[in-house]
């Protein structure tokens, strides 16, 4: 039996506030653009950067409230982790032109903080119980409490220490 896998994992920043709407059946869906960037040095030594934009779609599926969580806690500039699957769609527009889109159907979402520096922390699963595994705290939205440790300020040498006791 052959297997296949359609899985995407992204860490990036929201390009704008999420748009949330309701379907005719009463289900809620949130959409947002997520920016991921990479940097490298060109052969001449110049620093280069490329930003990719990903259209993400979050549903309140199976009785979960993931789209509601996105609406309540996610704002432009927030740094988030999303996990889901890639979906390709095509449709006919009003001028009868065939249009195509690529979307990330989000199944799991983690608010990482950063961005505007005031994101609530939490890990939300659209296929689980609908409850956060690490509850978001409203207090983290105000002040620097939401960014403590985000850049390893508590342990400035933690990433530079090459002498560890790992067996591999």
């Amino acid at each position: 039996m052959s297997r296949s896998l359609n899985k995407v994992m992204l860490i990036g920043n929201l390009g704008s506030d999420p748009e949330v709407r309701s379907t005719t059946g009463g289900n809620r869906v949130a959409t947002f653009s997520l920016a991921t960037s990479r940097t490298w040095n060109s052969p001449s030594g110049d620093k280069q950067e490329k930003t990719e934009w990903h259209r993400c779609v979050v549903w309140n599926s199976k009785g979960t409230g993931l789209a509601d969580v996105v609406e309540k806690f996610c704002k432009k500039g927030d740094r988030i982790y999303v996990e889901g699957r890639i979906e390709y769609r095509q449709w006919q527009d009003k001028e009868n032109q065939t249009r195509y889109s690529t979307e990330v159907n989000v199944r799991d979402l983690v608010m990482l903080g950063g961005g505007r520096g005031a994101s609530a922390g939490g890990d939300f699963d659209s296929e689980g119980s609908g409850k956060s595994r690490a509850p978001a705290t409203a207090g983290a939205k105000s002040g620097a409490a939401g960014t403590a440790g985000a850049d390893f300020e508590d342990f400035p040498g933690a990433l530079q220490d090459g002498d560890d006791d790992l067996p591999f």
Side-chain angles (χ1 to χ4, degrees), residues 2-20:
S2 74
R3 295 182 183 228
S4 63
L5 177 67
N6 180 354
K7 184 174 186 175
V8 62
M9 297 181 286
L10 300 169
I11 295 176
N13 295 80
L14 269 66
S16 62
D17 288 344
E19 296 178 21
V20 181

Side-chain angles (χ1 to χ4, degrees), residues 1-167:
M1 178 170 127
S2 74
R3 295 182 183 228
S4 63
L5 177 67
N6 180 354
K7 184 174 186 175
V8 62
M9 297 181 286
L10 300 169
I11 295 176
N13 295 80
L14 269 66
S16 62
D17 288 344
E19 296 178 21
V20 181
R21 53 187 211 289
S22 296
T23 65
T24 55
N27 202 2
R28 292 178 48 86
V29 59
T31 57
F32 56 87
S33 292
L34 188 69
T36 58
S37 297
R38 65 183 182 103
T39 58
W40 71 95
N41 290 329
S42 69
S44 63
D46 297 331
K47 187 175 182 179
Q48 303 288 316
E49 181 175 5
K50 181 170 184 178
T51 301
E52 302 282 349
W53 289 93
H54 311 275
R55 179 176 164 82
C56 298
V57 179
V58 182
W59 293 88
N60 274 357
S61 60
K62 299 180 184 176
T64 65
L66 193 56
D68 295 333
V69 168
V70 168
E71 179 181 35
K72 186 174 181 181
F73 294 108
C74 295
K75 301 290 182 232
K76 178 180 179 176
D78 285 351
R79 188 160 189 78
I80 64 170
Y81 163 86
V82 296
E83 183 176 317
R85 67 181 180 275
I86 296 176
E87 291 187 359
Y88 302 97
R89 295 188 304 124
Q90 73 178 42
W91 70 94
Q92 301 293 324
D93 67 9
K94 294 177 182 177
E95 290 83 35
N96 209 26
Q97 297 288 322
T98 303
R99 300 290 182 172
Y100 301 91
S101 72
T102 303
E103 300 172 335
V104 176
N105 190 317
V106 177
R107 182 185 70 228
D108 205 6
L109 172 84
V110 180
M111 293 174 276
L112 300 175
R116 59 191 173 95
S119 182
D123 185 357
F124 298 91
D125 184 0
S126 71
E127 294 188 8
S129 64
K131 299 178 181 175
S132 71
R133 291 183 287 216
T137 58
K141 285 201 157 243
S142 61
T147 60
D151 295 320
F152 299 99
E153 291 111 5
D154 295 337
F155 306 100
L159 297 178
Q160 287 78 28
D161 187 12
D163 185 25
D164 57 23
D165 295 327
L166 297 176

